[in-house]
Amino acid sequence: MKRWPEFIAVAALAAVLAFAVFAQDRPAPAQPSSTAKDAPASTRGNSFAIRDVRVFDGEHVIENANVVVRDGRIAAVGADAEVPQGLDVIDGAGKTLLPGLIDAHTHSWGNARADALRFGVTTELDMLGDWNRLPQIEQRRGSLAPTTQADLWSAGAAVTAPGGHGTQYGMDVPTLAADGDAAAFVDARVAEGSDYIKIIVEDLSAYGTDMRMPTLAPAQVAAAIDAAHRHDRLAVVHVSGRAPAMRAIDAGADGLAHIFIDAAVDEAFAKAARSHDSFVIPTLSVLSGIAGTGEGAKLAADPRLQPWLGGEQVATLEASFPLHARDPALGERLLASVGALHAAGVTILAGTDAGNPGTTHGASLHGELELLVRAGLSPAEALNSATAATADAFGLDDRGRIAPGLRADLVLVDGNPLADITATRAIDAVWKNGHAVERALARPAGPAAAAPGDTLVDDFEGDAIAPRFGAWHPTTDAIAGGASVASHALVAGGADGTRGALAVRGEIKPGFAFPWAGVIFFPAGDATQALDFSARTELVFKVRGDGRRYNAMLFSGPSMQGMPSMQAFTAGEDWTEVRLPLDGFAGADLAQLRAIAFTAGKPEGGFEFFLDHVEVR
């Protein structure tokens, strides 16, 4: 767990480089209908019936039931429900009908909601996002019109400290100063349209590191919770440690985002959470990624999910936190903690924290259900946690159940997930607002162009910075609100007495939790294109500098949003050749190489290093 802060630094850089897609509400890319799975007959409208199907209504099972949908809402459900003449009828024999699934913890931007809907997740609860879109998403979720996206509820901007967690993702977010008025801060979030209030308590102490991050004081947390309740809003608190989790519960938090990782749940905590009627969204999907147990990669390889996963989704599922080693003991402790909470009667809600390494929107909720069952919930209880229980907890009174009058957000699966929870992945059909969703197969990304035949990137021997291919650019945390600076310039005096070298100079400045500055090389000229370097084996360069430790990072995969891979090097006083094996960049996809970065991080202060004769051999 010692390298968690290093991951955050790299993730911040990745998020900044991918900022063009953050907080945007774009539809999914158009895909040819010829690749789509045959849709049920009900695609002609939002009125239809399903006959002789097993129904899990959000709480209970009804065998051999009929379900009637009229104008996008459930009209009747039951073993004796009459199917009116004239409706399209779908045979449900051998299948199970579920309410549309609800992911209780996501960060939804870009194509997230289209990706979610394709996997039967018809509603997402965003736990930090762009508050400017709140009126738009509220209007959309009230409609029964056809849509290609899941509905969204959102916290908008979170309550967090300056430089604290939630400020590192490339957006200029409001923050609550140490002497700030928490009630006034919450008032502003409510005025913006936040559906609930997300409060972040995170100083990194739970991760076993000496690094600390600014966070809210306990009195501010309590004041923010009280203010949320005065506005009839839920207060959901992000925690990673037991002590702040207990303080949040005692202060009246309605729920916790994440199960804490620094200790197992004990009887005292479970009893407190139960007595305060607080729910917990464990987010085992993302925490399993921290433990390195490979749950995301298992989902990516599941043949029931694989055909509908886009290349970027596969990349994020297979991405991992750059830990020194897997920590399966942490994974088992997390499962045991969720089991202890469940046994104590604490409400467990299914949420994934999708948008992070090892997760993706839609598919990861199916993995979360399996993890909850492994933690001790029955399949029916796990399904409840992703349907009726979340709807009840967040006051979503028109969904989460299959009952007359509710909207027809439905998922039909082959088999019986009440016996085998993984059967939720065998999706036969999805309906949103009663309209059948065309589950277009994800188009595989075309192969990247081959890397240039010349292995030399740049020897800096010209009169200007002009690599053999690609482009060099400075990169700093200033794009994400930091103050660090960097510059790069051609200078005389290269390695081995050659004419020139690339000087990279700058300063790591305070004011940003995980600062960086340096230089980045795009082999194809910019981040939108990748090149195939799969035949190469080494990154080789010559370096000298101030004796600091630096990082070489590879960005690869279907997009720049994938997590970079990293190896460290030292820039000493004398020119030294550094040879980094490409297979040492864990998880890098050399067939889709997008960028190579050379960056400084903490400690704060000035830095200077020189590069020469950069090759990818």
Side-chain angles (χ1 to χ4, degrees):
M1 299 304 299
K2 296 290 185 182
R3 290 176 60 87
W4 167 247
E6 288 186 41
F7 160 71
I8 293 289
V10 176
L13 176 58
V16 169
L17 292 170
F19 178 62
V21 301
F22 185 85
Q24 295 186 21
D25 199 17
R26 304 176 305 174
Q31 300 187 14
S33 59
S34 61
T35 64
K37 180 180 177 180
D38 290 339
S42 58
T43 52
R44 290 197 294 269
N46 61 348
S47 297
F48 61 95
I50 305 174
R51 188 191 300 276
D52 194 27
V53 66
R54 179 185 301 103
V55 171
F56 175 75
D57 67 4
E59 294 182 293
H60 308 105
V61 179
I62 309 171
E63 296 287 354
N64 305 117
N66 297 331
V67 177
V68 179
V69 174
R70 287 280 198 185
D71 300 322
R73 295 191 180 276
I74 306 295
V77 55
D80 57 353
E82 183 177 348
V83 176
Q85 291 186 350
L87 286 186
D88 293 327
V89 178
I90 298 159
D91 182 7
K95 301 175 183 178
T96 304
L97 188 68
L98 308 171
L101 302 176
I102 305 172
D103 191 330
H105 187 140
T106 68
H107 299 283
S108 303
W109 57 81
N111 293 327
R113 289 190 284 152
D115 290 339
L117 187 59
R118 193 163 58 249
F119 290 95
V121 177
T122 57
T123 301
E124 291 196 324
L125 304 185
D126 184 79
M127 285 294 164
L128 184 151
D130 183 5
W131 56 94
N132 296 300
R133 61 180 174 165
L134 293 175
Q136 179 190 54
I137 63 175
E138 181 179 7
Q139 180 181 22
R140 286 189 178 185
R141 72 194 185 212
S143 172
L144 285 172
T147 179
T148 60
Q149 299 184 327
D151 289 337
L152 190 68
W153 270 254
S154 180
V159 186
T160 191
H165 184 55
T167 66
Q168 73 268 41
Y169 299 121
M171 292 183 69
D172 184 15
V173 301
T175 56
L176 177 60
D179 59 352
D181 185 336
F185 191 90
V186 170
D187 291 347
R189 308 289 75 76
V190 172
E192 289 167 349
S194 293
D195 294 302
Y196 37 84
I197 303 301
K198 171 78 174 294
I199 302 166
I200 296 179
V201 185
E202 180 61 78
D203 66 359
L204 300 181
S205 60
Y207 295 97
T209 174
D210 293 333
M211 184 178 287
R212 292 294 178 266
M213 194 176 203
T215 194
L216 303 173
Q220 291 179 305
V221 175
I225 292 171
D226 288 343
H229 291 166
R230 284 197 298 274
H231 286 285
D232 197 27
R233 298 292 196 277
L234 296 180
V236 183
V237 182
H238 165 109
V239 294
S240 60
R242 183 192 182 282
M246 182 64 91
R247 286 195 295 267
I249 293 294
D250 289 340
D254 297 285
L256 298 181
H258 310 299
I259 184 67
F260 48 80
I261 69 168
D262 61 345
V265 165
D266 54 38
E267 183 178 356
F269 181 84
K271 182 177 180 180
R274 178 68 185 90
S275 64
H276 285 83
D277 198 23
S278 300
F279 58 77
V280 175
I281 311 170
T283 64
L284 290 170
S285 295
V286 73
L287 295 180
S288 294
I290 293 174
T293 57
E295 302 300 330
K298 295 173 189 174
L299 287 176
D302 191 317
R304 294 167 292 186
L305 302 174
Q306 198 173 52
W308 285 273
L309 289 168
E312 186 175 323
Q313 288 184 288
V314 172
T316 57
L317 281 170
E318 293 180 344
S320 60
F321 292 81
L323 303 173
H324 285 301
R326 291 161 51 101
D327 186 5
L330 172 60
E332 291 303 316
R333 189 173 77 225
L334 293 169
L335 293 174
S337 289
V338 174
L341 291 172
H342 175 62
V346 176
T347 298
I348 303 296
L349 305 183
T352 63
D353 207 2
N356 279 288
T359 70
T360 191
H361 293 268
S364 284
L365 190 58
H366 296 274
E368 187 75 18
L369 294 174
E370 181 186 8
L371 289 168
L372 291 176
V373 170
R374 284 166 52 187
L377 279 70
S378 70
E381 290 167 336
L383 290 170
N384 173 258
S385 76
T387 55
T390 295
D392 289 348
F394 282 84
L396 314 182
D397 56 10
D398 66 343
R399 66 195 66 210
R401 289 180 170 81
I402 300 176
L406 302 191
R407 67 175 57 223
D409 290 356
L410 301 168
V411 186
L412 184 65
V413 302
D414 290 323
N416 183 6
L418 296 151
D420 173 9
I421 193 62
T422 71
T424 62
R425 306 173 191 184
I427 297 174
D428 185 74
V430 177
W431 291 268
K432 182 76 187 76
N433 305 331
H435 297 276
V437 174
E438 186 174 303
R439 299 185 68 222
L441 298 177
R443 289 182 297 178
D454 194 344
T455 65
L456 180 65
V457 170
D458 211 332
D459 57 9
F460 308 105
E461 292 296 283
D463 296 324
I465 301 174
R468 303 290 181 91
F469 57 93
W472 292 97
H473 294 278
T475 179
T476 79
D477 57 29
I479 305 177
S484 299
V485 294
S487 65
H488 68 303
L490 194 66
V491 297
D496 304 320
T498 56
R499 180 181 177 188
L502 184 70
V504 184
R505 302 183 176 102
E507 183 180 357
I508 300 297
K509 294 187 177 183
F512 193 71
F514 302 106
W516 80 86
V519 67
I520 191 166
F521 174 72
F522 296 107
D526 62 55
T528 65
Q529 300 295 320
L531 294 179
D532 184 354
F533 282 81
S534 58
R536 309 294 174 86
T537 60
E538 281 186 309
L539 172 62
V540 182
F541 55 94
K542 295 182 180 181
V543 67
R544 70 175 181 88
D546 52 14
R548 286 179 66 130
R549 189 174 176 85
Y550 294 90
N551 286 316
M553 294 183 287
L554 298 191
F555 293 82
S556 63
S559 82
M560 284 293 289
Q561 293 185 76
M563 291 299 107
S565 305
M566 175 172 61
Q567 294 190 61
F569 65 93
T570 300
E573 181 179 356
D574 299 321
W575 282 108
T576 303
E577 184 177 71
V578 177
R579 304 170 69 99
L580 300 177
L582 294 181
D583 61 9
F585 288 94
D589 179 4
L590 298 176
Q592 300 183 84
L593 182 63
R594 293 178 176 274
I596 304 171
F598 302 88
T599 64
K602 284 189 174 182
E604 295 166 0
F607 67 86
E608 179 182 64
F609 65 95
F610 301 85
L611 291 171
D612 198 6
H613 209 84
V614 179
E615 289 188 82
V616 186
R617 295 179 182 171

